[in-house]
Each structure stands twice: as C-alpha cells, then as structure tokens.
Amino acid sequence: MTWLLWLGVAMVVLVGLALGLRAVGAVRWAELVRTHTSQLESGRVDAPGRLPSPARFDTHELEGLPAPVQRYFRAVLTDGQPIIAAATINMTGSMNLLATAEQWKPFTSLQRVVTRRPGFLWDVRVAMFPGVPACVVDSYIAGHGRLIAKVFGLFKVADLQGEGEIARGEFMRYFAESPWYPTALLPSQGVRWEAVDDNSASAIIVDGRINLGLLFRFNDAGLITSVHAESRGASVGKDGVMVMLPWDCGLSDYQPQDGMLIPMAGEAAWVRPEGRKVYFVGHVKKLRYEFLP
C-alpha cells in the first residue's frame, strides 16, 4: 500500500500545483490584458488627414460603387443605420495548432474592436490539455501588431510583435473580419472599392504606413461569403520563421443584430501548395456594439 499512498500524495501535490499556477497566471494575464485594452481604447482617434465620420449610414454614399458592393450594403444595412464605433465579440470554436498535421483544440475568446483608429484585441483561452490552458492575445493597436501566447498565462511560448509584416498581418485580420462590424466597410470610413466581376470586388484601406487590399466575394443574396489575401505572413516552426502564403476567411450563418445582418460563423485557412488548410473555426455567441452619437 506504500506506493499507492505515495502516488496519491504526488497526485494531490500536482493538482495543487496546477491550481496554484492557474490562479497566479489568471491574475497576471488579466493585468496584461487590461494594459493592452487601455492602449487600444486610448488610440480611439481618427487617423491623420481623415475626414470626420458621419454618425449614420446614408444610402447616397453607395452611388458609383461596384454592383456586388451595393447589393451587400443594401442587404446588411438600412438607411440611417448608426455607424459602429466599437464592438465586443464573444466566441467559441476550435483551432488547429499544427501547420502540417491535425491537433485541434477548443477555445473561448473575448474580442474588443474599435473602428477609428482601426484596432482590435483578441483575448483567448485554448484548452491544451485538461486543466492546462494556454492564454493568447492577438492584437493590432495604433499600427503595432502583436501575438503573445503563455501556458497558464505565465510561461511564454510565443511573442511576435512589430510594425512590419506582423502589423500588416494583424491589420489584415481586422479588415477581413469587418463584416462583423460592417459600417467599417463604407467609403465614408476610408475604404475604397474597385470592381472585379459580378460576384467580387477589391477593397483598399490605409492605416499609417500600411496600404492593404483584399478580395471580397459575395453570394447571390449579396452577402460576403469569403475574404481573400494573396499574401499574408505565416509563422512556421519553433523559431517562428515567417513565410508568405495566400490566406482565406469564410463567413456564414448571417443573422439580424442591432438592425444589421451579421455572420455568426467564420473560418480561416492558409492556401498551401498542397491545398487549402483550415486552421480556425469560430462561432459568435454574443455581440455588443457601441455607435457614434
């Protein structure tokens, strides 16, 4: 019975250690998120040279836009819709943590988005193993991109940041997810649309030194079904080496939210030489908006 006793003691110690790490990690992680959130909120100013934003959507600003873009805005907005200043998005789903194999893990997340100046903060909990969470922050704040990941919120496994390719990739994410805050896609919000064909159009947005263009595809109902980038930096390997790959976001399950039609499901995929590989599947559980006065 001695070895069973020692095994029981060891299990109690390990459980206690894990609980202690989770408690300490939760406090430190919450402090980090508060700091980043403060930075995001303090950056809520119009970009230099940008005209003041109207407080409501006016259908007259659709004149001259490509036909599929006009159909989209008429489908998801109504005349007089208040312009979104910020959004808070609760989401659940799963993520594949491996680039060349399958290791899907469930996650829950809270995302804060501001539209003037564009930025977001994505606070995520990934269940690596039972009782072992990984905490991740993905953000674009005042032209600066950052990805931080820590096990238990304490032990760092990734910290990529800067104003180069990492910032461009994070700003690309903000832009691709804009159907969740669709007034941000209006010309009055700094987006320039260019015709491609009957079911797609290119959208261009500028923030600071980043000039970004993405391809938006629309279905017969006028809704955005996917957003495509010809090139986005993907981190691969333990050293975080950056390679450039085509990138896709899929959007579906549109539902009414605050007078708008919003996609409640999304996925993200890298388009590798061997084919399209989905690495993220998410479902919106709750949306809260703040509108311009």
Side-chain angles (χ1 to χ4, degrees), residues 120-204:
F120 74 90
L121 176 70
W122 193 49
D123 179 18
V124 193
R125 301 294 184 277
V126 183
M128 302 297 293
F129 304 100
V132 182
C135 302
V136 181
V137 155
D138 202 23
S139 65
Y140 179 76
I141 300 173
H144 186 93
R146 191 169 190 183
L147 170 64
I148 310 170
K150 295 184 179 183
V151 176
F152 285 113
L154 293 171
F155 307 109
K156 187 183 298 183
V157 294
D159 189 351
L160 305 174
Q161 60 177 308
E163 297 181 353
E165 193 55 45
I166 181 68
R168 181 177 179 274
E170 299 295 13
F171 186 38
M172 189 177 295
R173 172 179 169 171
Y174 164 89
F175 199 25
E177 293 180 351
S178 50
W180 282 327
Y181 31 97
T183 60
L185 286 169
L186 288 165
S188 62
Q189 305 305 299
V191 178
R192 187 174 81 253
W193 289 94
E194 296 179 354
V196 174
D197 55 38
D198 291 341
N199 295 301
S200 61
S202 293
I204 297 91

Side-chain angles (χ1 to χ4, degrees), residues 42-53:
S42 66
R44 290 177 64 172
V45 295
D46 284 345
R50 181 179 289 181
L51 295 175
S53 174

Side-chain angles (χ1 to χ4, degrees), residues 67 97 131 165 198 248 254 258 267:
L97 304 183
E165 193 55 45
D198 291 341
D248 267 329
Y254 278 77
D258 290 271
E267 67 174 32

